[in-house]
Amino acid sequence: MVSSAGIGIASADPLSELSSFSIFDKVDLAQLAKSDAKTAHGPPMSNPRFLSVQSVYVMRNWNPTEHHEPKVYLHGDLPGSPSEAAFAKLKSAPDNGPVRVLANATAKMANDLQLTREEAAKWKGGNGALSGAGGDFWIGVLAGRARAFSSGGTAAQPPYDHAGPAVRPGDELNGLLREQGKIRKQFAGLLESTGVGRGAGSLKPDLYWELLNADDVAVATLGASYSRNSGGNVQAADTFYYASGGYYVTLTLHQVWPVDVNGKPHTLIWRGDMVSSASLADLHGVEKLGSESAMMKDIAKSIALFRRESGH
C-alpha cells in the first residue's frame, strides 16, 4: 500500500523518520538550529552518470516558492499548455560569456546540444545569438517539450539523440530513483502522482523554464515542481526534465516536518539532490570526488542564501 510510504507516516517522530530513509542517522535539533546545513554525499550509485547529495537543516519558516537558485539568468513561470509566447523573455538573455558559448554551439549545431535529430534539423543555420535566430530556435524546442510534458509527463519526452545513442529523460529519472530505494519508498506516495519518470500524473505541477549557468555554459531548462501537505508534513519534488546541455536531468526532493526547538516552533528540512550528467561518466577517483564536493558546496551556498532571504 503506497500510502504507508512517505506522506502516510506523518505521525512518526521526525528524527526517527529522517533516519529511516536518509544518511543522517543521528541529528541534534538544537545544535542544527544554531548551525549551517549539514550536507553529505548520498549513497554510492552504480551508474557513473549519477550523483547525489543529501542535506538537512532547521528554519523558523519554510516557503520554497520564494526562492530561486543562484546562477539563474532568466526564470519564467509557464501555463499548463504553453505557447511559444511564454518563452519570449529568452530573447532578452544577457550578452555574457556563457550565453555566447550557447549561441556558438547553436550556430554549428554542436554534438553536445541535447536535442532529437528532428529538432536539430529545424536549425537552418545563421547566427545562433539568443536575441535572433538562436532564440527562435530554442523557444520552439522549449515550447514543444513543455507541451509534451504537460500532456504525458517525462514518459512523453523525446530522447536526446541528435549526435549519439538515445538518452531518455524519463529513464534517467527512474534510474536515479531506482538506485536510492529508501528515498524512492519514502516519496512513493508523492512521486506516483507526478509526471516524474512516468506519464502526466494526477497532481498538478508548477511549470517553469530557466536559462542558467552550468559550468560556464548557458543552459536552457524546463522544470516542474510538485508538493503535498499532510498535517503539516510537506513533501516536494522539483525536476529539470529537460536541459539543452550540462546534465541530462536533475531531481530535488524535500521533506519538511514541524518541530519544537527550545519550546519554539521550527521546521526540520531534509533535501535530496540527484543529477544525471554525461560529463560525470568520464570522471574517476579524485575528479569524481571533486565534482561531488563542488555540488555539495553549491547546495550549501544555496541553502544559506535561502535561510538568509527567509530571515533566519
Side-chain angles (χ1 to χ4, degrees), residues 37-283:
K38 286 175 74 141
T39 303
H41 305 288
M45 293 188 275
S46 60
N47 190 323
R49 289 203 295 268
F50 295 170
L51 195 59
S52 78
V53 169
Q54 296 185 26
S55 315
V56 64
Y57 56 106
V58 167
M59 292 179 68
R60 280 192 285 277
N61 50 53
W62 189 78
N63 182 355
T65 58
E66 292 171 354
H67 173 65
H68 297 302
E69 302 287 322
K71 298 187 178 178
V72 174
Y73 299 134
L74 296 171
H75 172 97
D77 295 321
L78 294 173
S81 185
S83 69
E84 280 71 5
F87 300 91
K89 212 161 50 167
L90 187 63
K91 298 197 79 167
S92 60
D95 180 20
N96 58 29
V99 171
R100 285 193 290 274
V101 172
L102 175 60
N104 292 337
T106 305
K108 56 177 192 267
M109 244 337 90
N111 286 350
D112 56 359
L113 293 176
Q114 293 173 176
L115 299 162
T116 62
R117 293 188 189 104
E118 293 76 14
E119 286 167 336
K122 289 179 180 166
W123 176 249
K124 301 305 178 204
N127 187 335
L130 296 189
S131 57
D136 292 329
F137 172 79
W138 285 110
I139 285 170
V141 170
L142 294 173
R145 284 181 175 263
R147 287 193 291 266
F149 182 84
S150 284
S151 62
T154 55
Q157 280 300 294
Y160 306 143
D161 68 359
H162 113 86
V167 172
R168 298 182 183 279
D171 291 349
E172 297 302 293
L173 286 162
N174 282 329
L176 285 165
L177 287 162
R178 205 165 33 244
E179 298 246 10
Q180 314 235 6
K182 288 181 178 177
I183 292 172
R184 185 176 60 169
K185 184 179 171 198
Q186 177 72 11
F187 284 84
L190 170 66
L191 290 170
E192 287 173 9
S193 307
T194 72
V196 177
R198 53 198 311 115
S202 56
L203 201 57
K204 192 175 180 308
D206 290 321
L207 301 172
Y208 63 95
W209 68 273
E210 288 182 342
L211 183 70
L212 48 84
N213 179 341
D215 295 327
D216 296 325
V217 178
V219 172
T221 61
L222 290 167
S225 292
Y226 300 86
S227 65
R228 281 187 5 179
N229 187 336
S230 173
N233 276 22
V234 176
Q235 287 188 325
D238 190 284
T239 180
F240 280 137
Y241 61 86
Y242 173 71
S244 60
Y247 41 77
Y248 292 140
V249 292
T250 71
L251 178 61
T252 299
L253 299 171
H254 283 94
Q255 173 118 11
V256 178
W257 301 265
V259 291
D260 271 357
V261 180
N262 299 326
K264 292 185 180 150
H266 283 68
T267 307
L268 174 66
I269 300 131
W270 173 89
R271 168 175 166 166
D273 288 87
M274 307 172 208
V275 62
S276 168
S277 165
S279 60
L280 286 169
D282 302 327
L283 302 180

